[in-house]
């Protein structure tokens, strides 16, 4: 197969590709008589107008309602009043408007210093009561717009799962400027929170780890913390004066007070 450098004037494909055996062109062409350009048969098959029309000269070999031949561009005519040069226009403006520039004013350092001053005292930390069902380090970071590492550092949390043991958490005012807590009150209510606080204080004061025993003494005293602690100490003294016979070595802390309400087991 041999090829030439001529190409189709519409698709730019090489023409005069001959078969080595038959020496006939593989791609038939149409040579335009007006400009001596060539159009391949594939372009003619895709657009039948190219068989009788030259897309460059805009001339058709058959009668056509379209205008024939290229039109000359419109003659150039310079404007009647040429635009003045930039320097000439600026000079004209200066002569027409001879106005002095505004007077120079001294820079007000006091006003600028007042604007540039930042509040010296940082915003206070905000107390957030934790909801164990939904609050986490990631959720609090998104809600308050505070980095998670700042929450961990402010509250001394070395791991995220330690948040489950907290009732409250501090939102650092360095990052949160709102100053309003999204959970300002205990989730379970102030009354329930106060009741649990009394139970914890009673257990610490009496050194009793049994929740049921603490709840029993506080219910008997109508949640008066001082009366409940005094009642437990009285029972403890009575237990020491009237020890159980054959109860084994020592006695458990949970046995204190049971004989008053439950009796001997």
């Amino acid at each position: 197969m041999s090829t030439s450098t001529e190409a189709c004037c519409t698709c730019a494909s090489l023409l005069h590709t001959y078969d080595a055996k038959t020496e006939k062109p593989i791609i038939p062409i149409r040579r335009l008589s007006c400009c001596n350009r060539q159009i391949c048969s594939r372009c003619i098959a895709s657009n039948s107008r190219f068989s009788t029309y030259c897309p460059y000269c805009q001339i058709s070999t058959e009668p056509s309602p379209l205008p024939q031949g290229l039109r000359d561009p419109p003659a150039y005519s310079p404007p009647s009043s040429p635009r003045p040069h930039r320097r000439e226009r600026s000079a004209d403006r200066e002569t027409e408007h001879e106005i002095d520039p505004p007077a120079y004013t001294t820079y007000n350092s006091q006003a600028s210093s007042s604007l540039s001053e930042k509040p010296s005292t940082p915003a206070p930390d905000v107390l957030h009561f934790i909801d164990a069902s939904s609050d986490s380090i990631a959720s609090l970071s998104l809600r308050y717009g505070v980095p998670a590492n700042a929450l961990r550092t402010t509250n001394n949390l070395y791991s995220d799962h330690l948040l489950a043991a907290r009732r409250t958490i501090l939102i650092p005012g360095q990052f949160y400027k709102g100053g309003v807590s999204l959970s300002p009150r205990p989730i379970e209510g102030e009354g329930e929170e106060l009741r649990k606080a009394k139970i914890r204080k009673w257990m610490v004061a009496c050194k009793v780890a049994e929740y049921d025993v603490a709840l029993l003494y506080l219910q008997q005293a109508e949640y008066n913390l001082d009366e409940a602690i005094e009642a437990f100490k009285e029972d403890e003294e009575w237990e020491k004066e009237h020890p159980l016979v054959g109860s084994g070595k020592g006695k458990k802390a949970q046995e204190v007070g049971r004989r008053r309400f439950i009796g001997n087991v």
Side-chain angles (χ1 to χ4, degrees):
M1 246 183 226
S2 61
T3 58
S4 66
T5 58
E6 292 183 340
C8 176
C9 63
T10 56
C11 67
S13 60
L14 294 176
L15 302 175
H16 294 296
T17 304
Y18 296 94
D19 191 354
K21 295 182 179 179
T22 60
E23 296 183 356
K24 293 183 179 181
I26 297 177
I27 303 177
I29 60 173
R30 174 191 172 224
R31 185 173 294 276
L32 302 174
S33 58
C34 55
C35 58
N36 202 24
R37 291 186 174 90
Q38 301 177 14
I39 302 177
C40 65
S41 59
R42 287 181 294 189
C43 295
I44 297 173
S46 61
N47 190 350
S48 58
R49 186 182 177 191
F50 288 153
S51 60
T52 59
Y53 182 77
C54 175
Y56 284 88
C57 302
Q58 299 184 4
I59 296 175
S60 178
T61 57
E62 296 181 356
S64 174
L66 298 176
Q68 300 295 315
L70 293 174
R71 296 182 179 180
D72 296 333
Y76 174 74
S77 58
S80 57
S81 59
R83 297 180 62 184
H85 197 265
R86 184 174 180 179
R87 294 181 179 177
E88 296 177 359
R89 285 183 292 171
S90 60
D92 295 340
R93 290 179 181 177
E94 290 178 359
T95 55
E96 292 177 1
H97 307 283
E98 293 181 354
I99 302 175
D100 296 334
Y104 175 76
T105 57
T106 58
Y107 185 69
N108 191 355
S109 59
Q110 296 180 355
S112 63
S113 62
S114 62
L115 293 176
S116 61
E117 284 181 356
K118 295 183 180 179
S120 57
T121 59
D125 296 342
V126 176
L127 184 66
H128 177 91
F129 284 87
I130 295 175
D131 185 2
S133 60
S134 61
D135 286 344
S136 63
I137 294 295
S139 64
L140 292 174
S141 175
L142 291 174
R143 291 176 67 185
Y144 286 98
V146 177
N149 290 332
L151 289 175
R152 298 187 187 99
T153 304
T154 305
N155 296 274
N156 295 325
L157 293 173
Y158 302 102
S159 181
D160 293 352
H161 70 272
L162 297 178
L163 185 67
R166 298 289 186 92
R167 296 172 47 250
T168 59
I169 189 172
L170 287 176
I171 308 300
Q174 180 183 1
F175 300 93
Y176 178 63
K177 306 300 182 182
V180 179
S181 175
L182 301 180
S183 179
R185 294 180 178 83
I187 303 301
E188 298 177 351
E190 295 182 358
E192 182 68 18
E193 193 68 23
L194 183 61
R195 187 183 71 87
K196 290 183 177 181
K198 288 182 178 181
I199 293 175
R200 287 192 295 268
K201 289 180 180 179
W202 187 93
M203 295 171 69
V204 172
C206 298
K207 299 180 181 180
V208 177
E210 283 74 15
Y211 183 84
D212 296 337
V213 176
L215 186 62
L216 182 64
Y217 273 91
L218 285 170
Q219 287 177 353
Q220 291 292 331
E222 296 181 355
Y223 285 93
N224 190 330
L225 183 60
D226 296 334
E227 291 182 4
I229 294 174
E230 185 178 356
F232 176 80
K233 290 182 178 179
E234 290 177 358
D235 291 342
E236 193 174 24
E237 291 294 332
W238 188 87
E239 290 284 344
K240 291 179 181 179
E241 295 176 359
H242 303 82
L244 293 175
V245 179
S247 59
K249 296 182 180 180
K251 60 179 179 179
K252 298 179 181 178
Q254 64 182 2
E255 294 178 356
V256 178
R258 285 190 177 183
R259 293 169 59 187
R260 177 179 176 184
F261 302 100
I262 303 174
N264 295 334
V265 180

